[in-house]
Amino acid sequence: MRYRTLIFTTTALATLLSLSACGSEQVADSPRDNASGTTTVQPSRSPAAQLTVEVRASAKAAPKTWTLTCDPAGGDHPDAAKACAALNKVQDPFKPVSPQQICTEIYGGPQEAKVKGTWRGKQIDTGFTRKNGCELHRWNQVAPLFGDTAKGS
């Protein structure tokens, strides 16, 4: 019976100590807001994405350019929330098609896009086309990123 009590007491104590380590990391507005007179600082969190997107209806067309941030969704993108949702659905949305990849010769249209910036802390500088089946699939996975141009307008 003693061992059972000791095990339960040890488990309860470990749980209590681990829970006491949990707490809020909010910043006090001023030292006066904090009873001890000290200010705590919450680590700043940068957005998951800070991107510049340039889309052309064709190689010779004038580009449409906008910015996009995610987590929270923002920028001057026409539908930032939808674009961020599309990016979040794909495991690696900016990974280029491998040169060794065998692709169908399905032409999806003359649209082109360039994306630069950061995505989840990683530098991005990539292009998108619709020139074959692999590129078309890659484009379609994140099509909301390209606005109406993704539809071929």
Side-chain angles (χ1 to χ4, degrees):
M1 190 70 167
R2 278 188 200 155
Y3 294 111
R4 197 179 296 170
T5 304
L6 182 61
I7 290 172
F8 289 129
T9 304
T10 305
T11 304
L13 184 59
T15 303
L16 182 62
L17 290 174
S18 66
L19 289 175
S20 68
C22 297
S24 174
E25 293 183 11
Q26 295 179 343
V27 175
D29 288 338
S30 72
R32 284 176 272 154
D33 293 339
N34 189 329
S36 67
T38 61
T39 302
T40 57
V41 178
Q42 181 178 6
S44 68
R45 200 180 106 183
S46 60
Q50 290 184 315
L51 303 169
T52 300
V53 182
E54 180 183 282
V55 185
R56 295 174 185 266
S58 69
K60 295 182 181 181
K64 292 181 183 177
T65 305
W66 48 76
T67 59
L68 174 69
T69 58
C70 295
D71 296 330
D76 60 0
H77 188 282
D79 194 344
K82 192 172 182 180
C84 291
L87 290 173
N88 283 319
K89 285 182 185 178
V90 181
Q91 183 175 353
D92 191 355
F94 301 106
K95 181 179 179 182
V97 174
S98 169
Q100 287 77 35
Q101 179 71 38
I102 297 173
C103 301
T104 61
E105 291 302 316
I106 297 173
Y107 180 70
Q111 297 84 2
E112 299 179 350
K114 291 182 183 179
V115 181
K116 293 182 181 184
T118 57
W119 171 251
R120 296 184 178 158
K122 185 177 175 184
Q123 283 297 121
I124 302 300
D125 187 355
T126 190
F128 287 81
T129 68
R130 298 164 54 93
K131 67 182 181 181
N132 62 43
C134 295
E135 293 290 349
L136 184 58
H137 173 73
R138 183 172 173 248
W139 179 290
N140 288 341
Q141 285 186 304
V142 296
L145 180 63
F146 310 123
D148 289 341
T149 306
K151 300 172 189 166
S153 62

